[in-house]
Amino acid sequence: MDLYTITRQFADSWALLALFLIFIGVILWAFRPGSRRVHDEIATIPFRHEDRPAPTEEAKK
C-alpha cells in the first residue's frame, strides 16, 4: 500500500474518532457545572465601564 492509502484509512477511522472525542470534551468543558459565573463575567466585559474609564489599578490587570 502506498502512503496515501494508509493515511486515508487512518483519517477515516482513528483520527475521526479522536476528533469526535475532542469535540465532545470541549462541549462538556464549556457546559460543566460551575462555569456559568465565569461565562457571565466574560460576557459583561464590554459593558463594565460605560460611563468612565477603568480605575488605574483595575486597568493594569
Side-chain angles (χ1 to χ4, degrees):
M1 283 201 290
D2 58 59
L3 182 62
Y4 174 78
T5 307
I6 294 170
T7 54
R8 176 67 191 258
Q9 287 178 353
F10 177 76
D12 287 344
S13 58
W14 293 107
L16 179 63
L17 178 65
L19 288 174
F20 179 72
L21 292 175
I22 290 170
F23 175 76
I24 295 298
V26 168
I27 297 297
L28 292 175
W29 176 259
F31 292 107
R32 71 190 185 281
S35 67
R36 182 169 188 82
R37 185 180 54 104
V38 173
H39 293 301
D40 287 342
E41 181 181 336
I42 291 170
T44 60
I45 286 175
F47 307 112
R48 280 191 188 154
H49 303 287
E50 283 187 15
D51 302 352
R52 54 188 160 72
T56 309
E57 61 274 356
E58 187 175 335
K60 290 181 182 178
K61 288 182 182 180

